[in-house]
Amino acid sequence: SSRFTRRTRNINVSVRLEVVRSEDVPASLYVPDDDLLQRWADSACQRDDDVEASLRIVDSEESRRLNSDYRGKDRPTNVLSFPFEPPPGIPEEQEHLGDLVICAPVVFREAREQQKQPEAHWAHMVVHGVLHLQGYDHQNIEEAEEMESLERQILASLGYSDPYGEI
C-alpha cells in the first residue's frame, strides 16, 4: 500500500494560512484574495487535524534569489515549498506544515503560455505546494503519478479542469 493513498478525512479540518504579500508584486497581476487561497489550502490538506502554514506571494527577483539559495537554480520559479523540519527531540507530527513562496509574475506568465485561466493556475500552485508541505513529491515517475493524480482529484472537487491536460 502506498503511503500517499487518498483517504477520507474530516472535512472540517483546516489549514490556518498566514498570507504575506510582497509590496514588490506588480499591482497589474492577478493575485487571488485570501479567501480563495484559504479554500485551496484547506482542500489540499490530507491530515486529520488542523494545521498551519504560511504563504508568501513574491515578485520574480525574490523568487529567483530564494530558488538560487535553496535549490541552486538562478531563475524565478512558480512555487517553492519549505516543509517544517522539527529540531531533534521535537515530535515529527507538528501543527506547522511549513512555508510556501509563490511567484505571482511566473504564475501569470505560465497561465498565459499554457492557455489556462489565472485563477485555475493559482489554485493548482497552492494545492501543489500544500501537498509538498505534507511530504508528497515528484522526484520519480511513481511519486509524480501519485501526486498528480491527487492534484487532479482535489482540483476537480474545486471545479477546475485537469492541470496536466493537453492545451
Side-chain angles (χ1 to χ4, degrees), residues 6 9-19 32-56 79 95 97-100 102 119-134 136 150 154-155 157-158 160:
R6 176 103 169 131
R9 64 176 184 80
N10 178 353
I11 60 171
N12 295 320
V13 170
S14 69
V15 177
R16 288 183 302 281
L17 189 66
E18 177 190 6
V19 179
D33 64 31
D34 288 5
D35 289 341
L36 272 176
L37 296 167
Q38 181 67 60
R39 180 173 174 236
W40 300 331
D42 287 346
S43 71
C45 185
Q46 302 299 298
R47 299 265 301 259
D48 292 321
D49 53 343
D50 288 344
V51 292
E52 58 188 43
S54 66
L55 167 58
R56 180 163 172 81
V79 59
E95 279 189 0
L97 291 178
D99 306 313
L100 294 177
I102 297 182
E119 180 181 306
H121 196 45
W122 268 95
H124 182 209
M125 294 301 96
V126 172
V127 166
H128 185 87
V130 171
L131 290 176
H132 270 309
L133 293 181
Q134 296 171 94
Y136 291 83
L150 186 52
I154 293 166
L155 290 164
S157 76
L158 292 165
Y160 298 107

Side-chain angles (χ1 to χ4, degrees), residues 110-124:
E110 288 177 343
R112 188 180 63 236
E113 289 171 354
Q114 297 168 22
Q115 300 176 356
K116 296 178 180 177
Q117 291 297 319
E119 180 181 306
H121 196 45
W122 268 95
H124 182 209

Side-chain angles (χ1 to χ4, degrees), residues 6 8 18 23-24 43-44 63 69 83 100 118 137 159 165:
R6 176 103 169 131
T8 304
E18 177 190 6
E23 294 177 5
D24 296 325
S43 71
S63 176
D69 290 351
L100 294 177
D137 214 335

